[in-house]
Amino acid sequence: MSDASNIAKADSHSRMQYLIKESKAQNQLWILIDDDGCVMLNSEDENCVPVWPSKDTADAWATGDWEHCKAEAISLNKWRSRWTEGLTGDELYVAVFPNEQEEGVILSPYEFEDALGKGR
């Protein structure tokens, strides 16, 4: 499943593994931003920052309420040096490569950083 449209339809765990592999290969991951900052998703218990493995997969979310948003790359070094601690301080979580139904693995920022470090 190397095609982004196929991987977007895979289960949450497979999407997470794909994001980790691609992020490490490209040394970056992608978020959506607008004039107020990065977009957020709300799960039952957490407020989350969604992340995607590519510009195309992030852009696919820039529809409806988010059509004014644009994809922005964040280097893994910047993620590790600023985002992990910043999200933790703001009590935010990471929604890893959510699908169109807003389903995805939800991790704490440090759990996500650990997963990026492993990159199976």
Side-chain angles (χ1 to χ4, degrees):
M1 270 199 252
S2 61
D3 176 32
S5 63
N6 285 338
I7 194 65
K9 295 178 176 119
D11 65 81
S12 295
H13 182 74
S14 295
R15 289 193 319 277
M16 182 176 95
Q17 295 299 349
Y18 180 82
L19 178 135
I20 290 167
K21 183 183 88 165
E22 287 299 304
S23 294
K24 287 184 78 165
Q26 305 299 321
N27 199 36
Q28 65 187 10
L29 50 82
W30 293 81
I31 62 170
L32 282 178
I33 62 166
D34 63 14
D35 292 337
D36 297 320
C38 66
V39 299
M40 306 280 287
L41 287 176
N42 300 323
S43 72
E44 291 179 17
D45 300 316
E46 296 95 5
N47 292 321
C48 305
V49 172
V51 295
W52 292 273
S54 67
K55 182 177 187 325
D56 290 343
T57 54
D59 280 341
W61 271 70
T63 62
D65 289 344
W66 292 359
E67 67 186 356
H68 63 286
C69 297
K70 66 175 187 164
E72 179 172 288
I74 299 176
S75 73
L76 294 187
N77 286 340
K78 184 175 182 183
W79 183 271
R80 289 179 179 116
S81 69
R82 295 188 192 159
W83 284 77
T84 298
E85 194 169 313
L87 293 175
T88 300
D90 291 339
E91 298 183 5
L92 299 173
Y93 287 76
V94 179
V96 182
F97 195 177
N99 64 12
E100 292 176 2
Q101 291 77 39
E102 298 186 12
E103 299 167 334
V105 174
I106 306 294
L107 298 174
S108 76
Y110 284 106
E111 289 171 330
F112 183 63
E113 186 171 308
D114 287 346
L116 283 173
K118 293 175 188 166
R120 294 178 202 136

